[in-house]
Amino acid sequence: MREKILAVIEKNSRIDIHDLAILLGESEVAVANEIAEMEKERIICGYHTLINWENTSEEKVIALIEVKVTPQRGMGFDKIAERIYQYSEVNAVYLMSGAFDFTVFIEGKTMREVALFVANKLSPLESVQSTATHFVLKKYKDHGTILCDQIRDERMLITP
């Protein structure tokens, strides 16, 4: 039942317990208890709303920062990640395989604000060797949801 609940609420966290129970063929109490247990076990860590900020008047700059670090003896990558994710500007931190160690997603009001975060907070950290900042120019799809209007082929059909 857990996997079925997770599959549904990952796409629609606002689904009513009653509707979810009907969809899964389970009782409301069983579904509610299972969700509560998964929250307690930190399988479900939060509920978020996906917002297309381009359709609002709010200006936001989102950046993906590649970070190469030197892991500290006896602490590995976890302590460095913890230090990075404590900053309020940071939305996500992922340990990566490949040419760099972490991908850090941050949000600011301007590119300058993001650049100052990297220069004043992230780069000076003792373990950080290098960073590379990439700015998100446009989101087409996020968390499985298409955010832009789909392009329609407006060419005229010509038949012989």
Side-chain angles (χ1 to χ4, degrees):
M1 174 169 54
R2 279 186 168 200
E3 289 77 20
K4 290 178 181 176
I5 291 172
L6 293 173
V8 172
I9 67 173
E10 184 177 35
K11 296 289 183 198
N12 180 8
S13 64
R14 291 188 64 187
I15 190 167
D16 184 71
I17 293 287
H18 174 75
D19 294 336
L20 183 57
I22 291 171
L23 185 67
L24 300 176
E26 301 283 345
S27 73
E28 286 184 48
V29 172
V31 171
N33 288 340
E34 194 64 39
I35 289 172
E37 188 64 29
M38 287 189 287
E39 289 170 343
K40 183 178 166 187
E41 293 173 21
R42 296 206 30 87
I43 293 169
I44 298 173
C45 299
Y47 300 89
H48 302 278
T49 303
L50 179 59
I51 299 169
N52 186 353
W53 290 104
E54 287 186 15
N55 291 342
T56 71
S57 60
E58 184 77 21
E59 292 291 325
K60 287 186 181 279
V61 175
I62 299 167
L64 175 158
I65 306 165
E66 298 171 350
V67 183
K68 191 168 185 70
V69 300
T70 304
Q72 297 172 347
R73 184 179 213 93
M75 291 190 249
F77 292 106
D78 294 346
K79 277 292 186 196
I80 301 166
E82 183 179 2
R83 186 118 185 249
I84 294 170
Y85 69 62
Q86 295 298 328
Y87 291 113
S88 61
E89 298 92 338
V90 174
N91 285 338
V93 179
Y94 302 105
L95 180 62
M96 306 296 292
S97 64
F100 54 94
D101 300 304
F102 292 111
T103 298
V104 178
F105 285 88
I106 74 163
E107 195 174 276
K109 291 189 184 299
T110 64
M111 287 180 155
R112 178 171 169 73
E113 189 176 297
V114 170
L116 288 173
F117 169 81
V118 174
N120 297 334
K121 294 180 179 177
L122 189 58
S123 291
L125 292 176
E126 187 178 315
S127 302
V128 173
Q129 291 178 2
S130 65
T131 64
T133 303
H134 308 274
F135 291 97
V136 174
L137 302 178
K138 182 174 182 169
K139 287 185 181 182
Y140 293 95
K141 187 174 183 178
D142 195 359
H143 290 83
T145 301
I146 296 171
L147 300 176
C148 58
D149 293 331
Q150 292 183 313
I151 300 168
R152 282 183 249 122
D153 188 354
E154 296 186 17
R155 294 177 292 178
M156 187 183 307
L157 180 63
I158 300 174
T159 57

